[in-house]
Amino acid sequence: MTEDCIFCKIVAGLAPCFEIARDDRALAFMDINPASPGHVLVVSTEHAADLHGLSPEGLAAAALMARRVAGAIQTVLAPDGINLIQANGPGAAQSVAHFHIHVLPRTMGDRLPINWLLSPGDRTAIGALAERLKAAL
Ligand code: AMP
Ligand code: ZN
């Protein structure tokens, strides 16, 4: 637990949340600033600021919990779609530095500002970046 981390406090029961599921490594609760009705956060019980610092077990547990939650959302709300979104760093608009996955119900035409228009990229540049990424894996 990290003292000044709101999600660590929620995991420890020291701050309130609308909990919907929990296991040893992941906790799912409602986002209090929902981008759409049914917006859920799945957090690792372990404190890690982001994807890079999270243990493989924490990541696996959060991913599996997110899928369970998405299934419940599909059953209960029957949205037109569901996004899983996970932000790392200020440039990705991460506002809480404790790993979490957003499970976000979507409605056709809701125009949530998280999507981008499809526009064809430069194949040479795409291929060059693929090579650089492959070399780093
Ligand atoms: P991000 O900006 O991707 O880091 O997402 C952080 C999310 O945490 C935002 O959607 C906030 O609304 C949500 N959030 C922050 N504090 C709380 C809290 N105490 N309970 C529930 N959700 C929270
Ligand atoms: Zn934390």
Side-chain angles (χ1 to χ4, degrees):
M1 157 138 181
T2 297
E3 296 261 319
D4 57 354
C5 172
I6 181 61
F7 289 176
C8 279
K9 287 191 177 131
I10 289 174
V11 167
L14 300 174
C17 76
F18 296 96
E19 179 174 328
I20 63 167
R22 179 191 276 269
D23 64 25
D24 286 349
R25 294 191 179 273
L27 170 67
F29 56 89
M30 306 308 290
D31 195 305
I32 44 158
N33 305 294
S36 65
H39 182 174
V40 172
L41 296 175
V42 176
V43 309
S44 52
T45 56
E46 146 200 1
H47 179 85
D50 58 25
L51 182 66
H52 307 297
L54 187 61
S55 70
E57 296 79 12
L59 177 60
L64 290 170
M65 176 81 75
R67 186 169 70 166
R68 273 183 69 205
V69 168
I73 288 173
Q74 194 61 47
T75 301
V76 173
L77 299 173
D80 296 327
I82 296 172
N83 280 120
L84 299 188
I85 296 171
Q86 194 275 313
N88 301 282
Q94 183 181 15
S95 61
V96 178
H98 178 130
F99 179 88
H100 54 281
I101 301 170
H102 297 262
V103 187
L104 196 54
R106 300 295 305 276
T107 304
M108 293 292 276
D110 63 15
R111 300 174 73 91
L112 275 182
I114 53 169
N115 296 128
W116 51 91
L117 295 176
L118 297 184
S119 100
D122 177 319
R123 297 283 172 129
T124 308
I126 293 169
L129 275 172
E131 290 307 317
R132 288 174 62 193
L133 293 174
K134 269 199 292 190
L137 286 169

